[in-house]
Amino acid sequence: VQLQASGGGLVQAGGSLSLSCAASGDTVNAYNMAWFRQAPGKEREFVATRIRSGGRLYYADSVKGRFTISRDNAKNTMYLQMNSLKPEDTAVYVCAAGTAIFSATKTPQGYKYWGQGTQVTVSS
C-alpha cells in the first residue's frame, strides 16, 4: 500500500488542523492505520491508531481529548483532526499502515508502510 499525507501547515496555538492520508494499492481497512510525529532532535512518537479488527482507537496521552483519528473507506483515506493545538504539537506528522497486534500497534516497529511527512507548526 502507498500512503500520501497532506494537510499540514502553520496555525496559532488553540487552533485546528486536519490531516489526510490517502492510500492506494490496497484498502485502508486491511491495516491498522496510525499517525506518528517527529520533532527536530526527537525520536518518532506515536500519536494515534485505528485497529483494523474492531475499529478500536488508541491515542497518546499527550493528544487524548484533542485529536481524533478516523477513516473513510469510500475514499480510502485516513484522517487526523487536531484541535486545541499547542506549540509542543509542532512536528512532522507521518501516516503508517501495518498489521501488528497488541502493544506493537503503538510503536514504529509495528508498521510496514509509511507515507511521507507533512509539517505541522503551531505558533505561540
Side-chain angles (χ1 to χ4, degrees):
V1 62
Q2 293 80 45
L3 305 173
Q4 179 76 33
S6 61
L10 173 63
V11 64
Q12 288 188 331
S16 299
L17 277 176
S18 180
L19 305 183
S20 300
C21 178
S24 60
D26 207 340
T27 57
V28 292
N29 59 9
Y31 300 92
N32 305 326
M33 298 295 296
W35 290 96
F36 288 79
R37 66 187 182 186
Q38 189 164 15
K42 295 187 176 181
E43 294 186 351
R44 184 163 290 185
E45 175 189 26
F46 168 75
V47 175
T49 189
R50 189 186 193 281
I51 304 301
R52 61 175 177 166
S53 177
R56 287 164 291 167
L57 308 178
Y58 296 101
Y59 296 93
D61 288 343
S62 58
V63 307
K64 201 172 294 183
R66 300 187 298 122
F67 291 11
T68 302
I69 189 172
S70 63
R71 184 183 74 189
D72 186 330
N73 289 338
K75 295 182 178 180
N76 211 29
T77 299
M78 175 180 66
Y79 303 95
L80 184 70
Q81 177 64 41
M82 305 184 294
N83 299 327
S84 302
L85 283 161
K86 305 175 181 180
E88 52 263 42
D89 293 319
T90 295
V92 174
Y93 284 71
V94 186
C95 57
T99 58
I101 60 174
F102 304 126
S103 61
T105 59
K106 299 180 182 179
T107 69
Q109 291 75 20
Y111 295 86
K112 182 177 181 180
Y113 305 101
W114 294 85
Q116 91 295 353
T118 184
Q119 177 70 45
V120 171
T121 302
V122 184
S123 62
S124 58

